[in-house]
Amino acid sequence: MRFTLNGVATDVAAHPMKRLLDVLREECGLTGTKEGCGEGECGACTVLVDGVTVCSCIVPFGQAQDADVVTIEGLGNAHGLQQAFMDEVGAQCGICTPGMVVAASVLNEDPSLEEIRVGLAGNLCRCTGYAAIYRAILSSARAGKA
Amino acid sequence: MTTAVGQSVSRKDGIGKATGATKYADDLHFPGMLFGRTIRSTIPCGRVKSIRMDFDTSGFTIVDYRDIPHRNVVALIDEDQPYLVETEVRHMAEAIVLLAHEDREKLLGANVVIEYEEAEPVFDPERSPHSFKDITIEKGDVEDALASAEIVVEGTYRTGHQEHVYIETNGVIAVPEHGGIALYGSLQCPFYAYKALRSVLGNDHPLRVIQTETGGGFGGKEEYPSMIAGHAALLAVKSGRPVKIIYDRVEDMVATTKRHPSIVRHRTGLTREGRLVAMDVDVILDGGAYSTLSAVVLSRGCIHAAGPYRCDNVKIFGRAMFTNTPPNGAFRGFGAPQTEFAMEVHMERIAEQLGMDSLTLREMNALRPGDMTATSQVLKQDASALECLQEAVRRTDYRRKREELKGTNRGIGLALFYHGAGFTGAGEQRLASKARLDLTATGARIMVASTEIGQGTRTMHAQIVSDALGVPYETIEVAQPDTSVVADSGPTVASRTCMVVGKILERCALEMKERLEGMTPAQYHAKHGAFSIVKEHIQPEWMRWDDDNYQGDAYATYAWGCDVAEVEIDRDTYEVRPVKVTAVQEFGRPIHPALAMGQIEGGTVQGLGYALLEHVVMKNGAMANPTLTNYTIPTTLDTPELDIVMLENHYDGGPFGAKGLGELPMDGPAPAVVNAIRHLGLDLRDIPAIPETLIACASL
């Protein structure tokens, strides 16, 4: 089955009911997308499908046919948000971080605190209490404006 | 002069956590690897009558207790817990059989039929016939003082289970190597797992335990990894192949440890002016089916049960009870959140009965330097209860707000608390932790077993070494904990990693500096080559502890805090939403202010979840809501504005004046929230404060 993965046309032979999460991690070797709950509650497995955040643990691979899928690896290492997450200690244990960064990457360019809270409401973090995550996103937005 | 300590330097983790490049246990793959699965009991109490493999077993590795080469006990304190059930089942989800296969679908499809002979389970800790541990702390004469007290206030307070919900579930990989096992795992205490593997496999196998990057712990990966490590190792030994066991969320919630539920009863005698003259405290913890760490959780809970208050006549009696439920275990705070919750809600009720302001009551009785704790420890100058209380009151304009909000749907409440850092009493002395520092060609490498689980261990240790050695922070490396190469610096628990292990590292660095005789590490290394410094923990010489009578210096020092919670209630649905939490905390000195802030913010939000949301529903001895859909932790939308204040009061025995911090923030939020709910006119004494509980309070 064909889909676009991080900008590259990709063919994977996998059962259409296999979880997109497992296809990404096992067939494509992209382990940056994490599993936290397996039922679409925690957001650790967040990826973009056609520009929209989804929990890849509850998306059957068949639904990704011909779609444009972007994972944390597809954001590249130079994304300002990623550095901001580390600088502001928005990442502690780091297991929720790839999903958080993917979710934050589709917020508008200059988000308000309320927009960040709503935008990340589907991503659980047990370490930070979220405050440092807000600081990371706000500082990255400020840097983007500067 | 310090250049790294006190600065929020870049974390040693690098960028990998944010790019997804960092590998956690489930991201690792070894050639020929099998997946492991645990077949668990489906009754809470009884005996196994028969086990039948109802599937084609070809290609499967199957392990039961008869395959254990050495001892079928998880080595911890009391050795009562088996790796695999022999005949007696003591709780739901107890491991009986292990399976491994290279195809996960086949593995999950395997059906094991187990017949049982069921027995009557015990679920109520108050009716349990068996206590794992009793503790009595006694000072003065409580009965006498109660009899002559002008006022006596009584109350019972209850707290429920709490699930850790580290976002990475428990997981390990056992890899056969040189005739033995290398165990890679998500864990807090590599040497605990090492000791446990020795117990199950015996001394014939070479062993090492390597901590993989760990996606949160909070105590939940203190003792439980010893169990799953043993399981994976047994499968790897039998199959001769690497075996990976990763729990899914349901299995992790049903089978692994949780915070102990508690019932705490207070009988408190006071003068009419509000001076505490007698405190009689009865503590019951639900230990679950095996002792695990319950004795020490109870110990810390009891020591903190009288709160940060002075009183000459104290009796604290605690019991950790057996029930037919999965064992409860370590969780951030380790017994203190339960007992300090009871104390702080009780203080509010005392003030109500005395008709006095609860701030004045707390101020009057708060421990000051020179005062004695319940264990008769005389506090030194680094005691900051009053400072925390006064700063919290000033910053929130508490008195005015409390007046102003009266009769509205908003309430404000407060809690004063403290937390002892490091192991209790002579614990650190017995542990005799070691740290090692290696000179490298460019700087130094830290060789300790203390784990980075998000809190910033690597970074904070490197800052301490950098300043003590007088070399740039960037030149300090930190080894990944691997029991075959690092020093046993003890478990990463008990708020000890900075204060205790950091101090040993500071001493290593100071001695290394002396050896360098003014040369840089690079110069010395070029001339003489590498060397290592190993140091052991030194107990402060003034500490005295009587373990039989629970009297003396329980902790080398305490961190202090005062939380103020402002909440809003919906009077139709009885949902309570936290609006703002102010946390004033004194923990010596922050080594890394941004990391310290993260500990306080994160711990405070865990405490808010404990107070308001996190409800473990137990049915027939098992968690009935073991998913993140039905067991809810705070999301961004449940988390209020946080105002964090860090006060400094240096502890001379800590590195650069630092104390322990990790657990302190967990102690305050629940009582502060419940006291804010009391301000709304609801006589609440239990958590979690879910709407069902609040409606029941309202209709009383």
Coordinates of all heavy atoms in Angstrom, one line a residue, chain A residues 22 25-26 31-32 34-37 39 41-42 44 72-73 77 82-83 85-86 89 91-95 97-98 101 117-118 120-121 124 126-132 134-135, chain B residues 11 14-15 17-20 22-24 26-27 104 163-165 167 214-216 218 249 453-454 595 597-599 601-602 605-606 614 627-629 633-637 639:
Chain A
D22 N 2.0 0.7 14.6 CA 2.9 -0.4 14.5 C 3.6 -0.4 13.1 O 4.8 -0.8 13.0 CB 2.2 -1.7 14.6 CG 1.6 -1.9 16.1 OD1 2.2 -1.3 17.0 OD2 0.5 -2.5 16.2
R25 N 6.4 2.1 13.4 CA 7.5 1.7 14.3 C 8.2 0.4 13.8 O 9.4 0.3 13.8 CB 7.0 1.4 15.7 CG 6.6 2.7 16.5 CD 6.0 2.3 17.9 NE 6.9 1.5 18.6 CZ 7.9 2.0 19.4 NH1 8.1 3.3 19.5 NH2 8.7 1.1 20.0
E26 N 7.4 -0.5 13.3 CA 8.0 -1.9 13.0 C 8.4 -2.0 11.5 O 9.4 -2.5 11.2 CB 7.1 -3.0 13.4 CG 7.0 -3.0 14.9 CD 5.8 -3.9 15.5 OE1 5.2 -4.6 14.7 OE2 5.5 -3.8 16.7
T31 N 10.9 4.8 15.3 CA 10.5 4.6 16.7 C 10.3 5.9 17.5 O 10.0 5.8 18.7 CB 11.5 3.7 17.4 OG1 12.8 4.3 17.3 CG2 11.5 2.3 16.8
G32 N 10.3 7.0 16.8 CA 10.1 8.3 17.6 C 8.6 8.4 18.0 O 8.3 9.1 19.0
K34 N 5.6 7.1 19.9 CA 5.6 6.2 21.1 C 4.2 5.7 21.4 O 3.2 6.4 21.0 CB 6.1 6.9 22.4 CG 7.4 7.6 22.2 CD 8.5 6.7 21.9 CE 9.9 7.4 21.8 NZ 10.9 6.6 21.3
E35 N 4.1 4.5 22.1 CA 2.8 4.0 22.5 C 2.7 4.3 24.0 O 3.5 3.9 24.8 CB 2.7 2.5 22.2 CG 1.3 2.0 22.8 CD 1.0 0.6 22.3 OE1 1.7 0.1 21.5 OE2 -0.1 0.1 22.7
G36 N 1.6 5.0 24.4 CA 1.4 5.2 25.8 C 0.2 4.5 26.4 O 0.3 3.9 27.5
C37 N -0.9 4.4 25.6 CA -2.1 3.8 26.2 C -2.8 2.8 25.2 O -3.5 1.9 25.6 CB -3.1 4.8 26.6 SG -3.8 5.7 25.2
E39 N -5.1 3.4 23.2 CA -6.6 3.6 23.0 C -6.9 5.0 22.7 O -8.0 5.5 22.9 CB -7.4 3.1 24.2 CG -6.9 3.6 25.5 CD -7.9 3.4 26.6 OE1 -8.9 2.8 26.4 OE2 -7.7 4.0 27.7
E41 N -6.0 7.9 24.1 CA -6.2 8.8 25.2 C -5.0 9.7 25.5 O -5.2 10.8 25.9 CB -6.6 8.1 26.5 CG -8.0 7.5 26.5 CD -9.1 8.6 26.6 OE1 -8.7 9.7 26.9 OE2 -10.2 8.3 26.2
C42 N -3.8 9.2 25.3 CA -2.6 9.9 25.9 C -1.9 10.7 24.9 O -1.2 11.6 25.2 CB -1.7 8.9 26.6 SG -0.6 8.0 25.4
A44 N 0.7 10.1 23.0 CA 2.1 9.8 22.8 C 2.4 9.4 21.4 O 3.5 9.6 20.9 CB 2.6 8.8 23.8
I72 N 7.3 12.5 14.0 CA 8.3 13.4 14.6 C 9.6 13.4 13.8 O 10.2 14.5 13.7 CB 8.5 12.9 16.1 CG1 9.5 13.9 16.8 CG2 9.1 11.5 16.2 CD1 8.9 15.2 17.2
E73 N 9.9 12.3 13.2 CA 11.2 12.3 12.4 C 11.0 13.2 11.2 O 12.0 13.8 10.7 CB 11.5 10.9 11.9 CG 11.9 9.9 13.0 CD 10.7 9.2 13.7 OE1 9.6 9.5 13.5 OE2 11.0 8.3 14.5
N77 N 15.5 17.7 12.5 CA 16.1 18.0 13.8 C 16.3 19.5 14.0 O 16.7 20.0 15.1 CB 17.5 17.4 13.8 CG 17.4 15.9 14.0 OD1 16.3 15.4 14.1 ND2 18.5 15.2 14.1
Q82 N 11.6 21.9 18.9 CA 12.3 20.8 19.5 C 13.4 21.4 20.5 O 13.5 20.9 21.6 CB 12.9 19.9 18.5 CG 11.8 19.1 17.8 CD 12.2 18.5 16.5 OE1 13.0 19.1 15.7 NE2 11.7 17.3 16.2
Q83 N 14.2 22.3 20.0 CA 15.2 22.9 20.8 C 14.5 23.6 22.0 O 15.0 23.5 23.2 CB 16.1 23.9 20.0 CG 17.3 24.3 20.7 CD 18.2 23.1 21.1 OE1 18.5 22.3 20.3 NE2 18.6 23.0 22.4
F85 N 11.8 22.9 23.5 CA 11.3 21.9 24.5 C 12.5 21.5 25.4 O 12.3 21.3 26.6 CB 10.7 20.7 23.8 CG 9.2 20.7 23.7 CD1 8.6 21.4 22.7 CD2 8.5 19.9 24.6 CE1 7.2 21.5 22.6 CE2 7.1 19.9 24.5 CZ 6.4 20.7 23.5
M86 N 13.6 21.4 24.9 CA 14.8 21.0 25.7 C 15.3 22.2 26.5 O 15.5 22.0 27.7 CB 15.9 20.4 24.9 CG 15.6 19.1 24.1 SD 14.6 17.9 25.0 CE 15.7 17.4 26.3
V89 N 13.0 22.9 29.5 CA 12.6 21.7 30.3 C 11.2 21.3 30.1 O 10.5 20.9 31.0 CB 13.0 21.9 31.8 CG1 13.0 20.5 32.4 CG2 14.4 22.5 31.9
A91 N 10.6 19.0 28.2 CA 10.7 17.5 28.2 C 11.4 17.1 29.5 O 12.4 17.6 29.8 CB 11.5 17.1 27.0
Q92 N 10.7 16.2 30.3 CA 11.5 15.6 31.4 C 11.8 14.2 31.0 O 12.9 14.0 30.5 CB 10.6 15.7 32.7 CG 10.6 17.1 33.3 CD 10.0 17.1 34.7 OE1 10.1 16.1 35.4 NE2 9.4 18.2 35.1
C93 N 10.9 13.2 31.2 CA 11.3 11.9 30.9 C 11.3 11.7 29.3 O 12.0 10.9 28.8 CB 10.3 10.9 31.5 SG 8.8 10.6 30.6
G94 N 10.6 12.6 28.6 CA 10.7 12.6 27.2 C 9.7 11.7 26.4 O 9.7 11.7 25.2
I95 N 9.0 10.8 27.1 CA 8.2 9.8 26.4 C 7.0 10.5 25.7 O 6.6 10.0 24.6 CB 7.8 8.6 27.3 CG1 7.4 7.4 26.4 CG2 6.7 9.0 28.3 CD1 8.5 6.6 25.9
T97 N 7.1 13.6 24.7 CA 7.6 14.7 23.9 C 7.4 14.7 22.4 O 6.9 15.7 21.9 CB 9.0 15.0 24.3 OG1 9.2 15.0 25.7 CG2 9.5 16.4 23.8
P98 N 7.7 13.6 21.8 CA 7.5 13.6 20.3 C 6.0 13.9 19.9 O 5.8 14.7 19.0 CB 7.9 12.2 19.9 CG 8.9 11.7 20.9 CD 8.4 12.3 22.2
V101 N 5.4 17.6 20.6 CA 6.0 18.4 19.6 C 5.2 18.4 18.3 O 4.9 19.4 17.7 CB 7.5 18.0 19.3 CG1 8.0 18.8 18.1 CG2 8.3 18.3 20.6
R117 N -3.4 25.4 25.3 CA -4.0 24.4 26.2 C -5.0 23.6 25.5 O -5.1 22.4 25.7 CB -4.7 25.2 27.4 CG -3.7 25.8 28.4 CD -4.5 26.5 29.5 NE -5.1 25.6 30.4 CZ -6.2 25.8 31.1 NH1 -6.8 27.0 30.9 NH2 -6.6 24.9 31.9
V118 N -5.8 24.2 24.6 CA -6.8 23.5 23.9 C -6.2 22.6 22.9 O -6.5 21.4 22.7 CB -7.8 24.4 23.2 CG1 -8.8 23.7 22.3 CG2 -8.6 25.2 24.3
L120 N -3.3 21.1 23.0 CA -2.6 20.0 23.5 C -3.4 19.2 24.5 O -2.9 18.3 25.2 CB -1.3 20.5 24.3 CG -0.3 21.3 23.5 CD1 0.9 21.6 24.4 CD2 0.2 20.5 22.3
A121 N -4.7 19.4 24.5 CA -5.6 18.8 25.5 C -5.6 17.2 25.3 O -6.0 16.5 26.2 CB -7.0 19.3 25.4
L124 N -1.2 13.7 27.0 CA -0.9 13.7 28.4 C 0.6 13.7 28.7 O 1.4 13.1 28.0 CB -1.5 12.4 29.0 CG -3.0 12.2 29.0 CD1 -3.4 10.8 29.5 CD2 -3.7 13.3 29.8
R126 N 2.9 13.4 32.4 CA 2.8 13.1 33.8 C 3.9 13.8 34.6 O 3.9 13.8 35.8 CB 2.8 11.6 34.0 CG 2.5 11.1 35.4 CD 1.1 11.5 35.9 NE 0.6 10.6 36.9 CZ -0.5 10.8 37.6 NH1 -1.2 11.9 37.5 NH2 -0.9 9.9 38.5
C127 N 4.9 14.3 33.9 CA 6.1 14.9 34.6 C 6.0 16.4 34.8 O 6.4 16.8 35.9 CB 7.4 14.6 33.8 SG 7.9 13.0 33.5
T128 N 5.6 17.1 33.8 CA 5.8 18.6 33.9 C 4.7 19.4 34.5 O 4.9 20.6 34.8 CB 6.1 19.1 32.5 OG1 4.9 19.0 31.7 CG2 7.2 18.4 31.8
G129 N 3.5 18.8 34.5 CA 2.4 19.7 34.9 C 2.1 20.7 33.8 O 1.4 21.7 34.0
Y130 N 2.7 20.5 32.6 CA 2.4 21.2 31.4 C 3.0 22.7 31.3 O 3.2 23.2 30.3 CB 0.9 21.3 31.1 CG 0.2 20.0 31.0 CD1 -0.6 19.5 32.0 CD2 0.5 19.1 29.9 CE1 -1.2 18.3 32.0 CE2 -0.1 17.9 29.9 CZ -1.0 17.5 30.9 OH -1.5 16.2 30.8
A131 N 3.3 23.2 32.5 CA 3.7 24.7 32.5 C 4.9 24.9 31.6 O 5.0 25.9 30.9 CB 3.9 25.1 33.9
A132 N 5.9 24.0 31.8 CA 7.2 24.2 31.0 C 6.9 23.9 29.5 O 7.7 24.5 28.7 CB 8.3 23.3 31.6
Y134 N 4.2 24.9 28.0 CA 3.7 26.1 27.5 C 4.8 27.1 27.3 O 4.9 27.8 26.3 CB 2.7 26.8 28.5 CG 1.5 25.9 28.9 CD1 0.9 26.1 30.1 CD2 1.0 24.9 28.1 CE1 -0.2 25.3 30.5 CE2 -0.1 24.2 28.5 CZ -0.7 24.4 29.7 OH -1.7 23.6 30.1
R135 N 5.7 27.1 28.2 CA 6.9 28.1 28.1 C 7.7 27.8 26.9 O 8.1 28.7 26.2 CB 7.8 28.0 29.4 CG 7.1 28.6 30.6 CD 8.1 28.8 31.7 NE 8.6 27.6 32.4 CZ 7.9 27.1 33.5 NH1 6.8 27.6 34.0 NH2 8.4 26.0 34.0
Chain B
R11 N 20.3 20.7 29.4 CA 20.2 19.3 29.9 C 21.2 18.4 29.2 O 21.4 18.6 28.0 CB 18.8 18.8 29.8 CG 17.8 19.5 30.6 CD 16.5 18.7 30.6 NE 16.6 17.4 31.2 CZ 15.7 16.7 31.8 NH1 14.5 17.3 31.9 NH2 15.9 15.5 32.3
G14 N 20.5 16.0 25.7 CA 20.6 16.4 24.3 C 19.3 16.6 23.7 O 18.3 16.7 24.4
I15 N 19.2 16.6 22.4 CA 18.0 16.9 21.7 C 17.1 15.7 21.4 O 15.9 15.8 21.0 CB 18.3 17.7 20.4 CG1 17.1 18.3 19.7 CG2 19.1 16.7 19.4 CD1 16.6 19.5 20.3
K17 N 15.3 13.5 22.9 CA 13.9 13.3 23.5 C 12.9 14.1 22.6 O 11.8 13.7 22.5 CB 13.8 13.8 24.9 CG 14.5 12.8 25.9 CD 14.4 13.3 27.3 CE 14.9 12.2 28.3 NZ 14.9 12.6 29.7
A18 N 13.4 15.3 22.1 CA 12.4 16.1 21.3 C 12.4 15.7 19.8 O 11.4 16.1 19.1 CB 12.8 17.6 21.5
T19 N 13.4 15.0 19.4 CA 13.4 14.6 17.9 C 12.9 13.1 17.8 O 12.7 12.7 16.6 CB 14.8 14.7 17.3 OG1 15.6 13.8 18.0 CG2 15.3 16.1 17.4
G20 N 12.7 12.4 18.9 CA 12.3 11.0 18.8 C 13.5 10.1 18.6 O 13.3 8.9 18.5
T22 N 15.8 9.4 20.8 CA 16.2 8.7 22.1 C 15.5 7.3 22.1 O 14.3 7.3 21.8 CB 15.8 9.5 23.3 OG1 16.5 10.8 23.2 CG2 16.1 8.8 24.6
K23 N 16.2 6.3 22.4 CA 15.6 4.9 22.4 C 15.2 4.5 23.8 O 16.0 4.5 24.8 CB 16.6 3.9 21.9 CG 17.2 4.2 20.5 CD 16.2 3.8 19.4 CE 16.8 3.9 18.1 NZ 15.8 4.2 17.1
Y24 N 13.9 4.1 23.9 CA 13.4 3.6 25.2 C 13.3 2.0 25.0 O 13.6 1.5 23.9 CB 12.0 4.2 25.4 CG 12.0 5.6 25.7 CD1 12.1 6.5 24.6 CD2 12.0 6.2 27.0 CE1 12.2 7.9 24.8 CE2 12.0 7.5 27.2 CZ 12.2 8.4 26.1 OH 12.2 9.8 26.4
D26 N 11.1 -0.2 24.5 CA 10.3 -0.8 23.4 C 10.9 -0.4 22.0 O 10.5 -1.0 21.0 CB 8.9 -0.3 23.5 CG 7.9 -1.2 22.7 OD1 8.3 -2.3 22.4 OD2 6.9 -0.7 22.3
D27 N 11.8 0.5 22.0 CA 12.4 0.9 20.7 C 13.7 0.1 20.4 O 14.2 0.2 19.3 CB 12.9 2.4 20.8 CG 11.7 3.3 21.1 OD1 10.6 3.0 20.8 OD2 12.0 4.4 21.7
R104 N 4.1 -12.0 17.6 CA 3.2 -11.5 18.7 C 1.8 -11.9 18.5 O 1.1 -12.0 19.5 CB 3.4 -9.9 18.7 CG 3.4 -9.4 20.1 CD 3.9 -8.0 20.2 NE 3.7 -7.3 18.9 CZ 4.3 -6.1 18.7 NH1 5.0 -5.5 19.6 NH2 4.1 -5.5 17.5
E163 N -2.7 5.6 40.9 CA -1.9 4.8 39.8 C -0.8 5.8 39.3 O -1.1 7.0 39.1 CB -2.8 4.4 38.7 CG -2.2 3.9 37.4 CD -1.2 2.8 37.6 OE1 -1.4 1.9 38.4 OE2 -0.2 2.9 36.9
H164 N 0.4 5.3 39.1 CA 1.5 6.2 38.7 C 1.3 6.9 37.3 O 1.6 8.0 37.1 CB 2.8 5.4 38.6 CG 3.2 4.7 39.9 ND1 2.7 3.5 40.2 CD2 3.9 5.1 40.9 CE1 3.2 3.1 41.4 NE2 3.9 4.1 41.9
V165 N 0.8 6.1 36.4 CA 0.6 6.6 35.0 C 1.9 7.3 34.5 O 1.8 8.4 33.9 CB -0.6 7.5 34.8 CG1 -0.9 7.7 33.3 CG2 -1.9 6.9 35.5
I167 N 4.0 7.6 31.5 CA 3.5 7.4 30.1 C 4.1 6.2 29.4 O 3.5 5.6 28.5 CB 3.6 8.7 29.3 CG1 2.9 9.9 30.0 CG2 2.9 8.6 27.9 CD1 1.4 9.8 30.2
T214 N 14.2 6.1 30.5 CA 13.0 5.7 31.2 C 11.9 6.8 31.2 O 12.2 7.9 31.5 CB 13.4 5.4 32.7 OG1 14.3 4.3 32.7 CG2 12.2 5.0 33.5
G215 N 10.8 6.4 30.7 CA 9.7 7.3 30.4 C 8.8 7.5 31.6 O 7.6 7.3 31.6
G216 N 9.4 8.0 32.7 CA 8.7 8.3 34.0 C 8.7 7.1 34.9 O 8.8 5.9 34.5
F218 N 8.2 7.8 39.1 CA 7.4 8.2 40.2 C 7.3 7.2 41.4 O 6.3 7.2 42.1 CB 6.0 8.7 39.8 CG 6.0 9.5 38.5 CD1 5.5 9.0 37.3 CD2 6.6 10.7 38.5 CE1 5.5 9.7 36.2 CE2 6.7 11.5 37.3 CZ 6.1 11.0 36.2
R249 N -1.1 -0.9 28.6 CA -1.6 0.0 29.6 C -2.5 -0.8 30.6 O -2.4 -0.6 31.8 CB -2.3 1.2 29.1 CG -2.8 2.2 30.1 CD -1.7 2.8 31.0 NE -0.7 3.5 30.3 CZ 0.4 4.1 30.8 NH1 0.6 4.0 32.1 NH2 1.3 4.7 30.1
I453 N 15.3 9.7 35.2 CA 13.9 9.3 34.8 C 13.1 10.5 34.4 O 11.9 10.4 34.5 CB 13.3 8.4 35.9 CG1 13.3 9.2 37.3 CG2 14.0 7.1 36.1 CD1 12.5 8.5 38.4
G454 N 13.7 11.5 34.1 CA 13.0 12.8 33.7 C 13.4 13.9 34.6 O 13.3 15.1 34.2
L595 N 14.9 22.9 36.4 CA 14.6 21.5 36.7 C 13.8 21.4 38.0 O 12.8 20.7 38.2 CB 15.8 20.6 36.9 CG 16.6 20.2 35.6 CD1 17.9 19.5 35.9 CD2 15.7 19.3 34.7
M597 N 11.9 23.7 39.3 CA 10.6 24.2 38.9 C 9.8 23.1 38.3 O 8.6 22.9 38.7 CB 10.8 25.4 37.9 CG 9.5 26.0 37.5 SD 8.8 27.1 38.8 CE 9.6 28.6 38.3
G598 N 10.4 22.3 37.5 CA 9.7 21.2 36.8 C 9.2 20.2 37.9 O 8.2 19.6 37.7
Q599 N 10.1 19.9 38.9 CA 9.7 19.0 39.9 C 8.5 19.5 40.7 O 7.6 18.8 41.0 CB 10.9 18.7 40.9 CG 12.0 17.9 40.3 CD 11.4 16.5 39.9 OE1 11.0 15.7 40.8 NE2 11.4 16.2 38.6
E601 N 6.2 21.9 39.7 CA 5.0 22.0 38.9 C 4.4 20.6 38.6 O 3.2 20.3 38.8 CB 5.4 22.7 37.6 CG 5.6 24.1 37.7 CD 6.2 24.8 36.5 OE1 6.8 24.1 35.7 OE2 6.1 26.0 36.3
G602 N 5.3 19.7 38.3 CA 4.8 18.3 37.9 C 4.3 17.6 39.2 O 3.2 16.9 39.1
V605 N 0.9 19.0 40.2 CA -0.3 18.6 39.3 C -0.6 17.1 39.6 O -1.8 16.7 39.6 CB 0.1 18.8 37.8 CG1 -1.0 18.2 36.9 CG2 0.2 20.4 37.6
Q606 N 0.4 16.3 39.9 CA 0.1 14.9 40.3 C -0.7 14.9 41.6 O -1.7 14.1 41.7 CB 1.4 14.1 40.6 CG 1.9 13.4 39.4 CD 3.2 12.6 39.7 OE1 3.6 12.4 40.8 NE2 3.8 12.1 38.6
E614 N -8.3 11.2 40.3 CA -7.8 9.9 40.1 C -8.4 8.9 41.0 O -8.1 8.8 42.2 CB -6.2 9.9 40.3 CG -5.6 10.8 39.2 CD -4.1 10.9 39.2 OE1 -3.5 9.8 39.6 OE2 -3.5 11.9 38.9
T627 N -7.8 1.8 32.4 CA -7.5 2.4 31.1 C -7.4 3.9 31.4 O -8.0 4.4 32.4 CB -8.6 2.2 30.1 OG1 -9.8 2.9 30.5 CG2 -8.9 0.8 29.8
L628 N -6.8 4.6 30.5 CA -6.7 6.1 30.6 C -8.0 6.8 30.2 O -8.1 8.0 30.4 CB -5.5 6.7 29.8 CG -4.2 6.2 30.5 CD1 -3.0 6.8 29.6 CD2 -4.1 6.7 31.9
T629 N -9.0 6.0 29.7 CA -10.3 6.6 29.4 C -11.1 6.7 30.7 O -11.8 7.7 31.0 CB -11.1 5.7 28.5 OG1 -10.3 5.4 27.3 CG2 -12.4 6.3 28.1
I633 N -6.1 11.3 34.5 CA -5.1 12.1 35.1 C -5.2 13.5 34.5 O -5.9 13.7 33.5 CB -3.6 11.6 34.9 CG1 -3.3 11.6 33.4 CG2 -3.5 10.2 35.5 CD1 -1.8 11.4 33.2
P634 N -4.7 14.5 35.2 CA -4.9 15.9 34.7 C -4.4 16.1 33.2 O -3.3 15.7 32.9 CB -4.1 16.8 35.6 CG -4.1 16.0 36.9 CD -4.0 14.5 36.4
T635 N -5.2 16.7 32.4 CA -4.8 17.1 31.0 C -4.5 18.6 31.2 O -4.6 19.2 32.2 CB -6.0 17.0 30.0 OG1 -7.0 17.9 30.4 CG2 -6.6 15.6 30.1
T636 N -4.1 19.2 30.0 CA -3.9 20.6 30.1 C -5.1 21.4 30.6 O -4.9 22.4 31.3 CB -3.6 21.2 28.6 OG1 -4.6 20.7 27.8 CG2 -2.2 20.6 28.1
L637 N -6.3 20.9 30.2 CA -7.5 21.7 30.6 C -7.9 21.5 32.0 O -8.7 22.3 32.5 CB -8.7 21.3 29.6 CG -8.4 21.6 28.1 CD1 -9.6 21.1 27.3 CD2 -8.1 23.0 27.9
T639 N -5.6 21.5 34.4 CA -4.5 22.0 35.1 C -4.6 23.6 35.3 O -4.7 24.2 34.2 CB -3.1 21.6 34.4 OG1 -3.1 20.2 34.4 CG2 -1.9 22.1 35.2

